[in-house]
Amino acid sequence: MSQAPATESSERALPALVNLIVVLADTKYFLGRRMSEWAPGAPFLEASVACAAIAQEDLGHSRAIYPLLEDLPYPNRPQALERETDRDRRYCVRFLDVPFPTWSHVVASCALVDTAVTTMFWALATSRYEALASRVRRALEEERTHLGYAESLVRRMAATPQGIAALQARVDEALPEMLCWFGPAGEPGVEALVAGGFLGAGNDALRQAHLQRVAPLLLEVGVRLPVRWNLEEGRWEVPPLPWERWNPIQRRLEA
């Protein structure tokens, strides 16, 4: 394993590490593609410029992460994507499968999907797999801009009755899948990554960190969420999630 000692714990974590790398790379690839498709048609000039810039950064993140698959001693690794049709199996949420039909899809992807990847990047910034850690640390410098852009888009869309209704519909559609994206508590692969020093937090801690990034903003602008802040415990209460539809390898809900 490139720049990571070959220990028993690293060998146990290897399949999960390969899967995590392709999930992050695919998610960033499809985010970049979907954002780029809206760059010429965003509803205002600043959004067009920002869409183009963020699309390039997301695609750049995917191009930086994909080569790590070749460094890991694991058979039958998924190939890196250069075109959407390069392989049938996609390791990303269904929300990214097809071009976004409305601007509200762009806003929701920035607010929910990109912030989920940012949350995972933070948990990988001190990974013992330095080749991955160094790439996500560089990406995090740009992710700060992405978070600010997402907030501005959410606030602007929520400023009108039509906008808040469209945003509500997209959140209702995407949030359950993004809460599942971090995996169920005690997931063996994530547990192996944490135990091996490759990932800095477990499933529930990652889910809580993601909610802390997105829930206060969405609630503030008037979006209804199926979560509630438990002041006594200092954590977000999450409703039962549709784990019966969860595909843990591709990190998506089945239709």
Side-chain angles (χ1 to χ4, degrees), residues 62-250:
S62 73
R63 286 191 292 268
I65 294 171
Y66 275 130
L68 296 176
L69 293 172
E70 299 302 318
D71 293 339
L72 297 173
Y74 193 78
N76 302 318
R77 299 176 296 271
Q79 71 178 104
L81 293 177
E82 294 182 6
R83 297 174 299 276
E84 291 193 38
T85 56
D86 283 345
R87 53 176 153 80
D88 293 332
R89 177 177 263 196
R90 296 178 175 184
Y91 296 80
C92 66
V93 289
R94 290 189 305 122
F95 195 72
L96 301 177
D97 272 352
V98 298
F100 293 151
T102 72
W103 179 245
S104 64
H105 287 76
V106 176
V107 177
S109 72
C110 290
L112 296 176
V113 184
D114 208 8
T115 53
V117 178
T118 302
T119 300
M120 189 65 75
F121 279 179
W122 278 112
L124 290 166
T126 57
S127 173
R128 65 182 288 207
Y129 184 25
E130 180 57 29
L132 176 58
S134 63
R135 284 163 171 78
V136 302
R137 286 195 296 267
R138 288 195 295 271
L140 281 169
E141 297 175 8
E142 297 172 338
E143 292 297 315
R144 292 184 179 90
T145 304
H146 294 202
L147 291 172
Y149 180 58
E151 180 177 350
S152 69
L153 290 181
V154 166
R155 292 189 183 281
R156 186 157 185 163
M157 172 152 277
T160 66
Q162 298 89 343
I164 192 67
L167 182 59
Q168 182 71 62
R170 298 292 82 72
V171 171
D172 291 345
E173 178 183 357
L175 183 60
E177 188 168 31
M178 294 318 304
L179 293 177
C180 286
W181 190 72
F182 297 100
E187 186 177 19
V190 171
E191 294 287 295
L193 289 172
V194 173
F198 298 104
L199 184 64
N203 308 81
D204 281 340
L206 290 167
R207 194 164 16 253
Q208 288 291 318
H210 180 239
L211 279 170
Q212 194 56 36
R213 283 191 169 92
V214 302
L217 170 64
L218 293 172
L219 290 170
E220 179 188 337
V221 300
V223 174
R224 299 180 306 277
L225 299 179
V227 300
R228 185 176 72 87
W229 178 250
N230 187 317
L231 183 60
E232 183 177 335
E233 297 183 8
R235 60 181 284 111
W236 294 96
E237 293 181 353
V238 178
L241 296 173
W243 295 117
E244 70 281 359
R245 295 169 47 212
W246 178 241
N247 181 324
I249 303 300
Q250 293 175 262

Side-chain angles (χ1 to χ4, degrees), residues 10-32:
S10 66
E11 292 302 315
R12 286 199 302 269
L14 180 58
L17 183 60
V18 170
N19 184 250
L20 177 59
I21 287 170
V22 72
V23 166
L24 292 173
D26 270 20
T27 301
K28 277 294 188 178
Y29 173 83
F30 285 106
L31 268 171

